[in-house]
Structure formats: C-alpha cells, structure tokens
Amino acid sequence: MQQYINKRTLCALAALAAAWAPAQANTSTSSASIEQFQYRLVDLDLNDGIDASITFGTDVRSLYTAAGGQTQQLDASGSTSLVSQFGSAGGTLSDTALLAHAGMTHTVPYDDTQLTFSSRGSRVTEFILSPNTELILTAVGKVEQQLDGRFYLSGSQVHMRGSLSGDEGTWRPKQFSKNYELGYGSGSATVNLYGSLISDGKARKGEFTLQANAYLWGPVTPVPEPSTYAMLLAGTFVLGAVARRRRKAAAASAA
C-alpha cells in the first residue's frame, strides 16, 4: 500500500510541476506610438496680402527609457534600447514619429521583486502662426497592451495637444487636447489624432506637444492560464485521494 501511495503522490507532484512550468515563459508587453505626424496650413483670407506661414522656434525633445534598474535618456531625435534579465524597453523619436515600448518576462516563484520597464517620449515645439491662418495637425496614434502578469501600474498612452495664445490679460489661449490610453488590462486601439488652431488678424504664438508612454511596473510573477488552474485542481484532487487512503490504511492497521 505504501508503494502505491508513493506512486500516486509522485504523479500528483508531476502534474503540479507540469501545470506551473508554462507560466515561466509568460511575457507582458505595452506599446504606444504616434506616426505620420504632419501639419498643414490654410490661408483664411486670400485678400489680406499675407501668405499663410509658420515659423518654428524652440523645439524640446526627450526620450527616457528604464529597464530593470537601467536608464537611458536622449534630449534629441534618436532611439533608446535597454535589455535586462527580466525584460526590455526602448523608444524612437523623429520629426514624424514617436514610439515607445516595454516588455517583461515573468518568472516563478513569486518573490515580490518590483521592477519597472518603461519608455516615455515627448516633443514640445513653439511656433508663430501668421494672421488669418488655420494650422491643422494630424497623426495616427496606436496603443496596445498584452498583460500576462499582475502589475501595480501599467499603461500605454498617446497624447497630442496644441495651443495658440491671445492678447495677454484679455482672453484665454485657444487650445485642443487629444488623449488615448489603455490602463489595466489587455487591448489595442488605433486612432486618428487631429487638432486645429486658428489665428485672428494678428500673428500668434503657439505650441504643440506630442507624447507617447508605455510602462509596466510590478513584480515578476505570472498569472496562470485557465488550463493551469484545471491541472492544479486535478493535482489537488489526487493528493486528497492519497490522504484518504493513508487514513484508511492507518485505521485498518489500528484495528
């Protein structure tokens, strides 16, 4: 009887090990991008003798990436890329695109290690817009997340904002703001980013901002698949049966 029990116990333990093994390869990803960014000018008064124009001023660009304790930062167009034991992160910034991505590979056993994998890109550009002119900004934004683990914080976000100043002390700036974000949970979306700013009879100062963020922050512990739960339940049932047989065997010996 003891030999039989040992075999059943070993089978149950093998089932538990087989059920847990696939979770070691679980990977979570988060990405955000702004692509095909461009602007267009529309002359709203063809009789004022002023051609529609835009004059660009200060252009501040930033790309910050973190991966498992490593960091990398750029203050100009370019790319970042970091790889660590548990994942990777990176980003790209150019005149027409802004991309950010992060990925984490989950491990077991759960050890409550808190790691951050993220990439954050931004561009803030000042300009002067000619009188009676419409400035149209367009881009394609994408956000995507595939989460196979538990996180304290996760998300992918794209943001486009623009503003046009008025006469100081008289009225508020004209502005628009477009923001799309995925928080907790898996999913994806592609959106058309659009914004318009219109000057009056004066040349106006303005500013537009582009941002793309992707981040994963939490312990490197996986969430078992439904099939894993089923196998764990089966293993638990086998262990329960073994325990019952042991109790019956002990009772028979005592009798």
Side-chain angles (χ1 to χ4, degrees):
M1 177 66 70
Q2 185 65 34
Q3 182 180 5
Y4 177 76
I5 292 174
N6 288 340
K7 289 182 179 179
R8 294 295 297 272
T9 303
L10 289 174
C11 290
L13 292 176
L16 290 172
W20 192 248
Q24 296 182 10
N26 283 5
T27 300
S28 293
T29 60
S30 177
S31 63
S33 66
I34 295 176
E35 300 179 80
Q36 303 176 40
F37 173 72
Q38 57 184 338
Y39 70 90
R40 181 165 61 92
L41 299 176
V42 180
D43 193 335
L44 301 178
D45 188 348
L46 300 177
N47 298 317
D48 62 359
I50 302 175
D51 293 332
S53 65
I54 185 171
T55 303
F56 292 105
T58 303
D59 186 14
V60 179
R61 306 187 183 198
S62 175
L63 191 58
Y64 178 83
T65 297
Q70 307 175 70
T71 61
Q72 188 175 0
Q73 184 168 2
L74 292 178
D75 293 324
S77 294
S79 297
T80 58
S81 180
L82 290 174
V83 178
S84 77
Q85 179 183 359
F86 298 113
S88 62
T92 299
L93 175 59
S94 69
D95 290 341
T96 59
L98 187 55
L99 299 87
H101 64 85
M104 181 185 291
T105 300
H106 305 282
T107 61
V108 293
Y110 171 74
D111 61 4
D112 200 31
T113 301
Q114 298 181 24
L115 296 177
T116 299
F117 293 86
S118 66
S119 188
R120 180 177 69 250
S122 67
R123 177 184 176 186
V124 181
T125 304
E126 297 178 348
F127 60 85
I128 297 177
L129 190 64
S130 59
N132 299 313
T133 301
E134 180 180 14
L135 170 63
I136 300 174
L137 303 176
T138 59
V140 177
K142 297 180 181 179
V143 289
E144 184 173 6
Q145 278 193 163
Q146 181 61 50
L147 302 184
D148 290 322
R150 296 184 181 93
F151 294 94
Y152 297 123
L153 191 65
S154 65
S156 57
Q157 176 191 44
V158 292
H159 179 64
M160 183 170 77
R161 184 180 67 86
S163 63
L164 202 62
S165 65
D167 294 329
E168 185 174 355
T170 58
W171 47 282
R172 294 181 179 180
K174 299 178 181 178
Q175 59 186 6
F176 69 85
S177 181
K178 307 293 183 181
N179 185 77
Y180 297 90
E181 181 176 11
L182 290 176
Y184 298 100
S186 299
S188 63
T190 299
V191 295
N192 291 321
L193 299 173
Y194 173 89
S196 173
L197 297 169
I198 299 176
S199 63
D200 53 14
K202 297 181 180 180
R204 297 293 182 181
K205 293 182 179 180
E207 176 183 283
F208 67 78
T209 300
L210 303 175
Q211 291 181 334
N213 305 321
Y215 49 93
L216 299 170
W217 175 50
V220 288
T221 179
V223 176
E225 298 294 332
S227 59
T228 302
Y229 284 115
M231 295 186 71
L232 288 173
L233 183 61
T236 303
F237 175 78
V238 172
L239 289 177
V242 170
R244 286 194 296 272
R245 286 180 178 273
R246 285 179 174 173
R247 286 196 297 270
K248 289 181 180 179
S253 298

